[in-house]
Amino acid sequence: MNFLRGVMGGPSAGPQPSGAETIQKLCDRVASSTLLDDRRDAVRALKSLSKKYRLEVGIQAMEHLVRVLQTDRSDSEIIGYALDTLYNVISNDLEEEEQEENSPKQVDDLGSQFTEIFIKQQENVTLLLTLVEEFDFHVRWPGVKLLTSLLKQQGPQVQQIILVSPMGVSRLMDLLADSREVIRNDGVLLLQQLTKSNAAIQKIVAFENAFERLLDIITEEGNSDGGIVVEDCLLLLQNLLKNNNSNQNFFKEGSYIQRMKPWFEVGDDNCGWSAQKVTNLHLMLQLVRVLVSPTNPPGATSSCQKAMFHCGLLQQLCTILMATGVPADILTETINTVSEVIRGCQMNQDYFASVNAPSNPPRPAIVVLLMSMVNERQPFVLRCAVLYCFQCFLYKNQKGQGEIVSTLLPSTIDATGNSVSAGQLLCGGLFSTDSLSNWCAAVALAHALQENATLKEQLLRVQLATSIGNPPVSLLQQCTNILSQGDKIDRRGSKVQTRVGLLMLLCTWLSNCSIAVTHFLHNPANIPFLTGQIAENLGEEEQLVQGLCALLLGISIYYNDNSLENYRKEKLKQLIEKRIGRENFIEKLGFISKHELYSRAAQKPQPSFSSPDHMMFDHEFTKLVKELEGVISKAIYKSSEEDKKEEEVKKTLEQHDNIVTHYKKVIREQDQELEELKQQVNTLKSQNEQLQTTVTQQVSQIQQHKDQYNLLKVQLGKDNQHHNSHSDTVQMNGIQVEEVSKLKEELEEWKNKHELLQGQLREKDSLIEKLKPLQLETGTEQSSQTSKSSGLEHNNELQKELEMLRTQIQLQSAEIAKLQAENQKLQVMNTSADPALGDSSATAAKNLELEGRLVQEVKELKNEDQKLSALKNKLKDLGVPVEDEDDIESGDQADEDEDGDEEEQD
């Protein structure tokens, strides 16, 4: 109870225990108590003391707290207290009123030491990862905060433990999907610490769909109008993408660049931007720059630049660039972002050249930006950003360089003076009284000539009007005049800055251009000025000017074509030997590369200077110095004989180059012909493959048709066999030959029978005629001879039947004649038809039909024959004499013989 009174602030009867003693007792309770409630109360008490007695709790309780995490997993409350206690011990984020008089360094060391103790057992971090998986808020949230604090204190060590832990990073990625915003937001902070300077973890996080989730959170929070959550997400995206080419490529391939466009949709009302919105938009612009940074691989940068143009992101940035009311720092960062989006990308550079500012009349965006650059009232960082934008616009852009230089040439200058051109602004800045404007204009003009010998020659044509009544002077002459005047002109800013800018312009202009060197040497005052500047012993500020003068003189020697007799290479080297000394000249030349500002400028293309006084060197110029310093040093020490030999070698090399060029041309032509032949071969191959495919298809179709033909042939044979199953004879074109011959024989037989029946009918007709008189003679005796009368009546009936039979026989004879005609027609078709024809099914069907009809007629004739036989029998029964068929046939034959005798007698 005394302990509780001490903790709760109640009165105590005896002396109060110290903090260390109290903590020791609480630790004993946590270690030895068997009741969960007691342990929970003890851990809660340790949590309340952990901020005030951080050191004591950390030393005495950490082991016990870790054991609680291991053994009491089932109770979320005690786990939450333990995690909070560990967080208070390890974290350095103490409130001001709770900080003791310890120095910040001691506080940092304390958190780092406790972290080192905790992660010494890697199982502790693995246990913590397992607890973070718990959905319970009182466990998950303290676990996330504790893990974040561990990463802040000992980042690389904790990163390595998580990396080797199974599914360690994946478990932490689930925090972004938590529906509770507090845990989700702290999860973002945890991933920020986890991904710092660890490319392996960055790749795992990216491939765990981090980009999709983070962009969704930014969209849900309102893009640039969102709160600090958007800022945290953008910082995490920067960690994932910066200096990580794999993640950058994944970001581009996943079409996530297109989702960045809505971030920069700024309305017309741009006043009253909140500080958070400015911060968010600043980070968004930096994220775009990460994707197109000049330090990235050129291929990756180029693909991102093209994607930004096609999705409209570049157009959106240019809209912000030309908008009004945009804060100065956002405008500056937007200019830098546009610079890197267009740098070295011809398509983007062409689009930027077409952008006009919303003014009346409309002016190109480049002109508006140059006006800001040469305006000394504009902020220094803004002027540096505009210079960088102009440099990026001209980088590897010969078309843009030509457009800028053309505004200086006499034929293209606007005579009306209504519009200001880029060339006029550059000249105005070059010769103004502001040294910073002089330097910026000189560097910008040097970039317009970079690696373009044609424009260097064209710029020699530029003439400037100095004052009324005086003849115009060339731009080259005016630059050397200002350079020679030095400090005589009262300028605002650095005394050295103007001369350094002009010397860099002249060195860039004369390098690799013999005609420009000749024009420079043609002015007799230039060489004495340079030798005088180099030979003097000046202060540190002037040493940079001396080094640049030595570089310009060396360029005049190295690129001299000896066209001017007084300024040949040998004479200029003798002049250096007499006036300066070779060693002194080389020493002064080395002042450039040894200067601190030179080293800073050589690091990255963007001009970033802490103050205008440090604005001395340009990044591209440092490359030129590195290239020329060695060759100029060698050229100075060469003798005239060596120069002659070098000239001869150069001529020989030129001849060899010409030969090589000729052969290159021949090889190029042959390569072109070879490519054309290869294309033809490929075309023929493809055509051959198509033809082979067609042939294969046709062969398969023919085979299919053959199979179908054979199948139909078999089916047709089966059908004919089915219809003609009563005949086993051979079939020709669907007509059975034996069946036809058999039918013919039957037909002949029935013909004979028909003729026989007709003869019998005639006999019966004659018999009936003979019976008629007999009937009349016996008519008077009818009453007495009833039996005879009944016979006569029956005779009449028979006579009627005979008439009917006669009619039927006539009809049948007509039908037989018709069948004979059809039979003859079929025989003609049978003899004339081609045996190879396959469509004989119709003829077979017709033949079957005729066969059926003939069989039917035969049956009818048989019936008639039976009826005739019955009639004969009845006539015989009546006593009427009836002749048989044989008698009739013999009678007919006898009649025919008698007729023949009569004809012979006649």
Side-chain angles (χ1 to χ4, degrees):
M1 295 299 294
N2 288 337
F3 161 71
L4 292 176
R5 290 193 188 97
V7 174
M8 305 304 293
S12 59
Q16 296 182 356
S18 65
E21 293 174 351
T22 304
I23 292 167
Q24 182 62 45
K25 291 180 180 179
L26 291 172
C27 291
D28 292 341
R29 285 182 60 191
V30 172
S32 60
S33 179
T34 57
L35 295 176
L36 180 61
D37 292 340
D38 289 345
R39 294 199 303 274
R40 186 189 306 118
D41 293 338
V43 174
R44 184 190 297 116
L46 285 172
K47 174 188 172 185
S48 62
L49 295 171
S50 59
K51 290 185 179 180
K52 185 175 182 180
Y53 299 100
R54 181 183 177 190
L55 180 62
E56 290 80 359
V57 173
I59 293 174
Q60 299 182 40
M62 182 176 289
E63 183 179 353
H64 301 292
L65 293 172
V66 171
R67 190 174 295 110
V68 167
L69 296 179
Q70 294 171 346
T71 58
D72 293 328
R73 292 277 300 276
S74 59
D75 187 73
S76 60
E77 192 174 357
I78 191 173
I79 295 294
Y81 293 148
L83 291 172
D84 285 334
T85 306
L86 288 171
Y87 173 74
N88 293 336
V89 169
I90 290 174
S91 174
N92 291 326
D93 301 332
L94 302 177
E95 297 181 4
E96 293 182 1
E97 61 269 14
E98 294 178 349
Q99 287 186 2
E100 297 181 357
E101 295 180 356
N102 296 332
S103 64
K105 184 177 181 181
Q106 291 175 335
V107 173
D108 291 343
D109 290 344
L110 191 60
S112 178
Q113 290 170 5
F114 281 133
T115 302
E116 191 172 351
I117 294 171
F118 183 82
I119 66 174
K120 192 171 184 180
Q121 298 294 328
Q122 295 188 6
E123 295 81 6
N124 295 341
V125 179
T126 307
L127 176 63
L128 195 54
L129 290 173
T130 307
L131 293 173
V132 168
E133 281 190 293
E134 297 289 337
F135 187 74
D136 193 307
F137 181 81
H138 298 290
V139 176
R140 196 171 206 184
W141 188 37
V144 170
K145 291 195 296 182
L146 176 57
L147 194 54
T148 305
S149 182
L150 291 173
L151 285 164
K152 285 182 180 178
Q153 302 298 333
Q154 297 286 341
Q157 293 87 339
V158 179
Q159 284 175 341
Q160 192 61 32
I161 296 172
I162 294 175
L163 189 60
V164 298
S165 176
M167 300 294 290
V169 179
S170 300
R171 296 176 187 177
L172 300 179
M173 283 299 299
D174 293 337
L175 298 172
L176 296 181
D178 200 303
S179 58
R180 296 160 293 193
E181 291 190 2
V182 175
I183 295 179
R184 184 199 68 185
N185 298 342
D186 281 352
V188 174
L189 297 175
L190 169 60
L191 291 171
Q192 278 185 28
Q193 299 298 326
L194 181 65
T195 55
K196 277 186 178 178
S197 305
N198 193 310
I201 293 180
Q202 289 168 3
K203 291 178 182 179
I204 296 173
V205 172
F207 282 94
E208 288 284 346
N209 207 21
F211 294 138
E212 184 77 27
R213 295 182 184 180
L214 292 173
L215 292 173
D216 288 341
I217 294 173
I218 292 172
T219 304
E220 291 170 6
E221 295 292 327
N223 294 328
S224 60
D225 294 323
I228 195 170
V229 178
V230 173
E231 179 182 348
D232 294 335
C233 290
L234 291 170
L235 289 171
L236 177 54
L237 284 171
Q238 282 194 17
N239 285 353
L240 295 175
L241 292 173
K242 196 169 186 178
N243 299 323
N244 194 316
N245 300 327
S246 174
N247 283 1
Q248 289 175 8
N249 186 58
F250 181 68
F251 191 84
K252 178 186 71 68
E253 295 295 334
S255 300
Y256 296 118
I257 291 177
Q258 289 82 338
R259 296 188 61 178
M260 299 170 71
K261 181 186 174 184
W263 296 354
F264 305 103
E265 292 177 354
V266 180
D268 297 331
D269 185 14
N270 294 321
C271 58
W273 285 27
S274 65
Q276 187 62 55
K277 181 173 182 178
V278 171
T279 303
N280 291 344
L281 201 55
H282 194 81
L283 290 171
M284 289 172 176
L285 291 167
Q286 287 183 348
L287 193 61
V288 175
R289 293 185 65 184
V290 166
L291 295 171
V292 293
S293 173
T295 58
N296 293 342
T301 301
S302 177
S303 60
C304 288
Q305 288 172 331
K306 292 176 181 176
M308 289 177 183
F309 174 78
H310 289 304
C311 75
L313 180 58
L314 175 58
Q315 293 84 329
Q316 204 67 44
L317 292 174
C318 290
T319 303
I320 299 177
L321 197 65
M322 295 292 107
T324 56
V326 179
D329 51 348
I330 294 297
L331 182 61
T332 302
E333 189 64 23
T334 303
I335 294 172
N336 288 328
T337 305
V338 171
S339 304
E340 294 184 352
V341 173
I342 67 174
R343 187 176 188 268
C345 181
Q346 187 67 50
M347 178 172 58
N348 294 3
Q349 289 168 338
D350 292 343
Y351 171 77
F352 185 69
S354 66
V355 175
N356 288 325
S359 59
N360 192 13
R363 289 177 177 173
I366 298 173
V367 174
V368 176
L369 291 175
L370 287 177
M371 292 172 69
S372 301
M373 186 184 73
V374 297
N375 186 353
E376 55 186 296
R377 291 191 295 272
Q378 293 291 340
F380 172 65
V381 289
L382 179 64
R383 298 174 74 181
C384 291
V386 173
L387 175 62
Y388 184 46
C389 184
F390 191 74
Q391 292 174 349
C392 291
F393 171 68
L394 296 178
Y395 182 71
K396 294 184 179 180
N397 184 11
Q398 293 190 354
K399 179 182 176 182
Q401 289 176 325
E403 291 173 352
I404 297 298
V405 172
S406 66
T407 59
L408 289 166
L409 300 178
S411 58
T412 58
I413 294 177
D414 187 4
T416 60
N418 293 329
S419 61
V420 180
S421 66
Q424 291 172 335
L425 289 170
L426 290 176
C427 285
L430 195 62
F431 307 127
S432 73
T433 56
D434 177 35
S435 61
L436 187 59
S437 297
N438 299 152
W439 190 91
C440 291
V443 171
L445 197 55
H447 275 265
L449 303 175
Q450 200 79 34
E451 298 180 0
N452 199 323
T454 305
L455 295 181
K456 291 177 181 179
E457 296 176 8
Q458 288 186 3
L459 200 63
L460 296 171
R461 297 165 44 205
V462 177
Q463 300 290 320
L464 302 174
T466 52
S467 59
I468 300 174
N470 293 328
V473 296
S474 67
L475 177 61
L476 181 64
Q477 182 63 44
Q478 184 66 12
C479 290
T480 55
N481 291 342
I482 295 173
L483 188 62
S484 62
Q485 290 174 2
D487 297 334
K488 296 178 183 178
I489 302 175
D490 186 16
R491 298 181 185 278
R492 294 179 294 277
S494 173
K495 296 180 180 179
V496 181
Q497 200 170 43
T498 299
R499 285 182 287 166
V500 169
L502 289 171
L503 284 168
M504 286 196 299
L505 172 61
L506 291 172
C507 290
T508 305
W509 195 348
L510 268 61
S511 64
N512 203 23
C513 184
S514 301
I515 298 176
V517 171
T518 303
H519 278 73
F520 179 77
L521 296 175
H522 200 269
N523 186 351
N526 290 338
I527 295 300
F529 167 75
L530 292 178
T531 53
Q533 287 287 319
I534 298 169
E536 290 183 11
N537 292 322
L538 303 174
E540 284 190 20
E541 290 186 354
E542 297 293 331
Q543 285 183 352
L544 193 55
V545 177
Q546 286 183 316
L548 291 171
C549 288
L551 180 64
L552 182 59
L553 183 57
I555 290 172
S556 301
I557 295 172
Y558 186 74
Y559 291 104
N560 191 345
D561 59 357
N562 295 326
S563 58
L564 295 176
E565 184 63 30
N566 294 332
Y567 296 102
R568 296 174 65 86
K569 285 184 179 182
E570 186 60 31
K571 291 185 177 181
L572 290 175
K573 284 191 283 188
Q574 291 174 1
L575 184 65
I576 290 174
E577 181 68 25
K578 293 178 182 178
R579 298 274 183 92
I580 305 169
R582 292 179 179 178
E583 290 78 9
N584 191 22
F585 177 86
I586 299 300
E587 182 184 358
K588 296 294 176 70
L589 183 62
F591 284 165
I592 302 174
S593 57
K594 294 177 183 178
H595 203 280
E596 181 185 359
L597 297 178
Y598 173 89
S599 301
R600 289 183 187 177
Q603 292 175 1
K604 58 181 181 179
Q606 182 183 2
S608 56
F609 307 100
S610 57
S611 68
D613 293 338
H614 293 162
M615 204 171 190
M616 290 295 174
F617 285 108
D618 172 59
H619 177 75
E620 292 296 326
F621 181 73
T622 59
K623 294 180 181 179
L624 181 67
V625 173
K626 192 180 296 184
E627 178 186 345
L628 294 178
E629 186 176 9
V631 295
I632 289 173
S633 300
K634 292 179 181 178
I636 294 299
Y637 281 102
K638 286 179 182 178
S639 61
S640 58
E641 293 180 357
E642 290 175 342
D643 283 339
K644 289 180 180 178
K645 290 181 179 178
E646 186 177 351
E647 289 294 330
E648 293 176 357
V649 170
K650 280 185 178 180
K651 290 180 180 179
T652 307
L653 289 175
E654 286 179 0
Q655 292 176 356
H656 286 300
D657 288 341
N658 292 333
I659 296 172
V660 170
T661 304
H662 172 69
Y663 281 114
K664 281 183 179 180
K665 185 178 179 181
V666 173
I667 292 171
R668 196 178 297 113
E669 291 175 354
Q670 290 178 348
D671 287 340
Q672 188 174 358
E673 292 177 359
L674 186 60
E675 286 297 326
E676 291 176 356
L677 291 173
K678 283 182 179 179
Q679 290 178 359
Q680 291 179 3
V681 169
N682 292 331
T683 305
L684 292 173
K685 281 184 179 179
S686 62
Q687 290 178 356
N688 185 28
E689 290 175 357
Q690 291 177 358
L691 291 173
Q692 286 181 350
T693 305
T694 306
V695 168
T696 305
Q697 291 176 354
Q698 289 180 351
V699 167
S700 62
Q701 289 178 358
I702 289 169
Q703 187 62 39
Q704 289 177 2
H705 290 160
K706 283 183 177 180
D707 295 340
Q708 291 176 1
Y709 171 75
N710 293 329
L711 183 61
L712 290 173
K713 192 173 179 182
V714 172
Q715 288 179 352
L716 183 60
K718 288 181 179 180
D719 291 341
N720 291 337
Q721 186 177 2
H722 175 70
H723 290 300
N724 302 322
S725 58
H726 60 281
S727 174
D728 297 331
T729 56
V730 181
Q731 205 176 53
M732 292 293 292
N733 294 326
I735 300 174
Q736 296 178 353
V737 178
E738 294 182 358
E739 188 69 26
V740 171
S741 60
K742 189 175 181 180
L743 286 174
K744 286 181 182 179
E745 292 176 357
E746 289 182 359
L747 187 60
E748 291 295 331
E749 183 179 352
W750 286 109
K751 278 183 185 179
N752 297 331
K753 288 184 179 182
H754 180 259
E755 292 176 356
L756 181 60
L757 289 173
Q758 283 183 340
Q760 290 179 356
L761 284 175
R762 286 193 296 271
E763 291 288 338
K764 289 178 175 58
D765 286 342
S766 62
L767 179 60
I768 290 168
E769 288 297 329
K770 292 177 181 179
L771 289 173
K772 281 180 182 180
L774 180 60
Q775 184 179 4
L776 291 174
E777 291 177 358
T778 60
T780 57
E781 299 177 356
Q782 288 180 355
S783 58
S784 60
Q785 298 177 353
T786 54
S787 59
K788 289 184 180 179
S789 62
S790 60
L792 290 173
E793 290 175 0
H794 188 62
N795 189 16
N796 291 332
E797 292 176 1
L798 291 175
Q799 199 170 10
K800 289 179 182 178
E801 289 183 9
L802 285 173
E803 291 294 334
M804 291 172 63
L805 288 172
R806 187 182 290 111
T807 306
Q808 290 179 2
I809 289 172
Q810 290 176 358
L811 293 173
Q812 289 176 357
S813 61
E815 186 69 24
I816 288 171
K818 185 177 179 181
L819 290 173
Q820 287 176 348
E822 289 183 0
N823 189 22
Q824 290 177 358
K825 187 185 294 185
L826 288 173
Q827 288 179 352
V828 173
M829 291 172 63
N830 184 25
T831 54
S832 61
D834 187 2
L837 292 176
D839 57 341
S840 60
S841 58
T843 307
K846 196 166 184 180
N847 185 26
L848 290 172
E849 182 182 356
L850 289 174
E851 183 182 353
R853 290 169 64 183
L854 286 172
V855 170
Q856 186 65 27
E857 292 296 331
V858 169
K859 288 181 180 179
E860 290 178 359
L861 289 173
K862 286 182 179 180
N863 292 333
E864 294 297 329
D865 188 22
Q866 290 175 0
K867 288 182 181 181
L868 287 173
S869 299
L871 286 173
K872 287 179 184 179
N873 294 330
K874 287 181 181 180
L875 290 172
K876 287 179 180 179
D877 292 338
L878 291 173
V880 178
V882 177
E883 297 179 355
D884 292 332
E885 291 178 2
D886 298 335
D887 296 337
I888 294 171
E889 290 177 0
S890 61
D892 290 339
Q893 183 67 35
D895 291 339
E896 289 176 2
D897 294 339
E898 289 178 358
D899 292 337
D901 294 339
E902 290 176 359
E903 287 176 359
E904 289 177 359
Q905 290 176 4
D906 291 339

